[in-house]
Amino acid sequence: MIEKLIIDNVAVIEHAEVDFSRGLNVLTGETGAGKSIVVDSINLVLGRRSSREIIRTGAPQASVTAVFSGLPHCSELTDDDGKLILERTVSADGRGSAKVNGKTVSVTQLREIGEKLAAIHGQHDNDALLDPARHTAFLDAYADDGVLLSAYREDYGRLKELAERIRSLKTENRDRGKRLELLKYQVAEIDDAAVKEGEEERLAKLRSQIRSREKINEALSAAAAALTDEENGAEVTLKTAADSLAQAESAHDGIRAVRERILGAAYEISDCAAEMNRILDENAMTDTDPAAVEARMDLIYRIKSKYGGTYEEIMRYRDRAAAEIDEYEDLDGLIRRLTDEYTSLSGETAAYADKLTTARRKAAEALCRRVREELEFLNMKGAVFYADVKSPGMLMPDGGDTVEFMLSANAGEEPGPLARIASGGELSRIMLAIRNALSEREGAPTQIFDEIDTGVSGKAAGKIGIKLKEISAGRQVLCVTHLAQIAAYADTHLLIEKTTEHGRTFTEITPVDGERQIDELARIMSGDAAGDAARTGARELLRYARENSPGGAAREET
């Protein structure tokens, strides 16, 4: 059960700590005081959808913490004290967080845990009864046919895919010639290109080497020319100098030595020039054609731009195209094979649909019998209520059935669709009856009812109070109500009040009992100006509720 709820900066609630008890917890208060905000806060901490609009004006974030206890079916989640603490924060900047016993979890994980803890029946649930398309879900919940329904939906989804594939292939079959021609051209282009894995990287490295070799050759050629040019080369210049000195070497002993040194330098230069020419000849002997490298890289670039940015993507494209060619070349055969698969799967899916129909018809009898019993107690004596389960012979997303709840609220009237027959008060009682029947199948230990008493008054309201009290004998019930006849049956009565201070609105939640509870019941019955007569009526209502609660008097009057 929910033991404590801590709310911070949710709508008009700045801070509130609410302690709940076992049994029936009732929340009352003026319209607009914030009763449904409590339910919204529980929705939030259970992982339901939220928005930044729930954050109190001026606050950076809204947060809700819920403490659960008495959860034997969730013992693996509780702490050493048997507690399960859920936390949810929504920030104004769009971020948020969710925690379970202090450990951060995803909102999806929080919602999955929350579904095991509480079932919330909102004031708009009655709308579901007005929409026949949603009646099947009620019946499936009672039939507990989730495994069968999942198997059906899986097959049905595959059927839809097969039908679409067959339709698409038949359309393609009409103009497959052009498509087949294009695919064959693409496969041939990829095969002719024969791109190898890692080839582009190797070519890029080779191109870099070629460009480096060209720079070396240019340097060697320039240097060799500077040394050996026939007119201005260093070798010619040195030999000319040596020849000039030859005419004077006999005149001075030192000139011969200088001339010999100059001739040695000329010979050294000649050797250097020869070595550079040898290196040039070696570089010229390579068989790598720079133009061929560039052309190959251009081809690979074109193939990548058409079929994929990497070698793997090109090959995947090629394999898909080749597979499609195979399909096109035997398209008629493929259509026949898929049609056969569709026919076989249709039979399997239809078998699941038949099982669903059987389960639903059986569940319809039991559920509607229970609902009629509940309605009898809820002051709808003699009401006829049944589920019209039809099987039109076609497969639909949730099976082969349509389900619509039918009602005759008064003797002598023909049953008709709820949307046409039922009043607001009757819808509220029917929904309560259905929820009560479903609660036996639901594992959630806490049931939350948010203003399910719309359109109900008088004896019927009192009967709803008794019914909620009855439900609360086996699980915790939280109920937001505006009817004193229901509030009088509370084990814990919480009053929600709105106040204004310094131009800001605040909501407070306080437990009431004794005279304060009588005051609140009188206010609900007669308004703010409730006097002694209203208080007397409230006291009598409270006494009656305690004496007529399931199991006898709940507690002594204060």
Side-chain angles (χ1 to χ4, degrees):
M1 71 170 198
I2 301 179
E3 186 176 290
K4 180 184 285 289
L5 188 69
I6 303 172
I7 306 170
D8 287 297
N9 295 316
V10 176
V12 295
I13 298 179
E14 182 180 43
H15 176 78
E17 296 189 19
V18 189
D19 292 316
F20 296 105
S21 69
R22 297 185 182 278
L24 178 59
N25 297 259
V26 171
L27 293 84
T28 65
E30 292 280 5
T31 300
K35 298 187 296 297
S36 291
I37 296 174
V38 176
V39 177
D40 292 340
S41 297
I42 295 174
N43 265 315
L44 182 69
V45 81
L46 293 179
R48 311 289 167 81
R49 182 172 297 179
S50 68
S51 68
R52 285 174 287 181
E53 283 70 27
I54 70 167
I55 301 174
R56 181 176 170 82
T57 302
Q61 64 180 29
S63 65
V64 181
T65 300
V67 180
F68 290 81
S69 63
L71 302 171
H73 68 301
C74 294
S75 57
E76 73 282 0
L77 298 173
T78 57
D79 61 16
D80 294 339
D81 296 328
K83 308 286 188 183
L84 179 60
I85 302 174
L86 307 186
E87 301 173 66
R88 178 86 181 276
T89 298
V90 178
S91 300
D93 60 9
R95 294 179 295 177
S97 65
K99 294 182 179 180
V100 176
N101 282 348
K103 180 181 178 181
T104 299
V105 298
S106 68
V107 174
T108 299
Q109 291 172 312
L110 184 67
R111 183 170 61 250
E112 290 173 351
I113 293 172
E115 288 173 351
K116 300 177 182 179
L117 303 176
I120 299 180
H121 315 304
Q123 55 186 301
H124 300 298
D125 276 6
N126 290 359
D127 295 342
L129 292 178
L130 299 176
D131 182 5
R134 300 169 70 179
H135 292 179
T136 304
F138 288 111
L139 205 51
D140 285 332
Y142 191 80
D144 195 20
D145 57 13
V147 174
L148 183 60
L149 184 58
S150 294
Y152 171 84
R153 285 172 174 166
E154 184 177 346
D155 276 7
Y156 182 79
R158 176 60 181 151
L159 272 182
K160 297 290 287 184
E161 292 175 0
L162 282 172
E164 177 59 26
R165 179 66 173 145
I166 293 169
R167 185 201 62 76
S168 177
L169 288 174
K170 287 182 177 179
T171 300
E172 292 174 4
N173 198 23
R174 291 194 291 268
D175 56 358
R176 61 178 171 174
K178 292 181 180 179
R179 177 65 177 168
L180 188 58
E181 182 180 350
L182 172 62
L183 290 170
K184 287 183 175 180
Y185 169 80
Q186 291 175 333
V187 170
E189 185 175 37
I190 294 173
D191 289 346
D192 291 344
V195 178
K196 303 295 189 298
E197 186 173 6
E199 181 181 6
E200 188 176 26
E201 291 76 10
R202 291 193 296 272
L203 287 172
K205 184 177 180 180
L206 180 57
R207 180 173 63 183
S208 177
Q209 293 173 347
I210 291 173
R211 290 175 177 175
S212 297
R213 187 171 63 239
E214 290 174 349
K215 290 181 180 180
I216 293 171
N217 288 348
E218 289 176 0
L220 289 170
S221 296
L227 295 178
T228 61
D229 185 76
E230 293 182 356
E231 294 184 1
N232 300 313
E235 183 182 358
V236 172
T237 301
L238 289 172
K239 287 182 178 180
T240 301
D243 290 343
S244 298
L245 291 174
Q247 300 174 5
E249 66 179 1
S250 59
H252 193 285
D253 292 339
I255 292 177
R256 178 185 294 275
V258 171
R259 179 172 178 274
E260 288 177 352
R261 289 172 62 190
I262 291 174
L263 284 174
Y267 295 144
E268 183 68 23
I269 287 174
S270 179
D271 288 343
C272 288
E275 180 65 18
M276 287 188 284
N277 286 326
R278 184 187 65 76
I279 296 173
L280 280 169
D281 290 341
E282 285 182 358
N283 284 348
M285 292 176 65
T286 181
D287 58 356
T288 302
D289 182 358
V293 172
E294 293 295 338
R296 182 64 179 170
M297 292 191 72
D298 287 344
L299 174 62
I300 293 175
Y301 175 80
R302 291 197 303 273
I303 294 296
K304 286 174 59 179
S305 65
K306 294 176 68 173
Y307 303 115
T310 65
Y311 170 81
E312 291 78 9
E313 290 175 352
I314 294 170
M315 291 300 102
R316 281 197 295 270
Y317 188 98
R318 190 262 179 213
D319 292 343
R320 287 196 301 269
E324 196 172 346
I325 289 173
D326 291 340
E327 287 185 1
Y328 272 119
E329 289 181 337
D330 187 24
L331 194 56
D332 291 334
L334 176 61
I335 292 174
R336 284 195 300 272
R337 290 193 296 275
L338 291 177
T339 301
D340 290 343
E341 183 180 352
Y342 180 89
T343 301
S344 175
L345 187 59
S346 292
E348 181 180 324
T349 309
Y352 279 131
D354 289 342
K355 292 179 181 179
L356 278 171
T357 298
T358 300
R360 285 168 177 164
R361 291 186 184 279
K362 182 178 179 181
E365 293 180 7
L367 173 62
C368 293
R369 182 170 59 251
R370 281 296 316 279
V371 170
R372 287 193 295 270
E373 292 171 357
E374 298 286 340
L375 294 179
E376 182 82 10
F377 177 81
L378 294 171
N379 251 35
M380 289 181 65
K381 299 184 187 320
V384 176
F385 180 86
Y386 68 92
D388 186 13
V389 181
K390 294 179 179 178
S391 302
M394 59 183 292
L395 299 178
M396 294 171 285
D398 290 324
D401 310 310
T402 62
V403 178
E404 183 169 15
F405 292 131
M406 309 292 283
L407 173 71
S408 171
N410 301 298
E413 293 183 356
E414 285 294 321
L418 292 183
R420 181 167 58 84
I421 298 294
S423 66
E426 289 166 344
L427 283 175
S428 294
R429 281 175 279 176
I430 292 170
M431 178 56 77
L432 177 59
I434 291 175
R435 289 300 184 191
N436 193 25
L438 291 179
S439 68
E440 299 173 357
R441 307 296 177 99
E442 295 173 339
T446 297
Q447 300 284 318
I448 301 171
F449 297 91
D450 183 14
E451 295 192 15
I452 60 156
D453 48 21
T454 301
V456 178
S457 60
K459 291 183 179 180
K463 290 297 186 69
I464 290 178
I466 294 174
K467 182 55 61 178
L468 290 173
K469 185 74 172 181
E470 180 182 303
I471 297 172
S472 71
R475 62 191 66 210
Q476 183 187 50
V477 173
L478 275 58
C479 177
V480 176
T481 184
H482 61 273
L483 294 179
Q485 295 95 320
I486 293 176
Y489 286 90
D491 293 305
T492 297
H493 187 159
L494 298 164
L495 174 61
I496 302 179
E497 297 177 291
K498 183 167 63 176
T499 60
T500 302
E501 296 179 15
H502 308 296
R504 294 298 306 276
T505 300
F506 298 86
T507 289
E508 295 182 352
I509 306 171
T510 54
V512 295
D513 57 13
E515 292 302 315
R516 286 204 66 191
Q517 185 180 21
I518 291 172
D519 288 342
E520 173 60 7
L521 292 177
R523 181 200 64 77
I524 297 173
M525 296 168 64
S526 303
D528 290 336
D532 291 341
R535 286 175 53 78
T536 299
R539 197 181 301 276
E540 177 62 24
L541 177 62
L542 191 58
R543 183 194 62 77
Y544 178 86
R546 288 171 176 172
E547 291 178 354
N548 289 276
S549 291
R555 60 189 178 189
E556 293 299 322
E557 184 178 340
T558 302

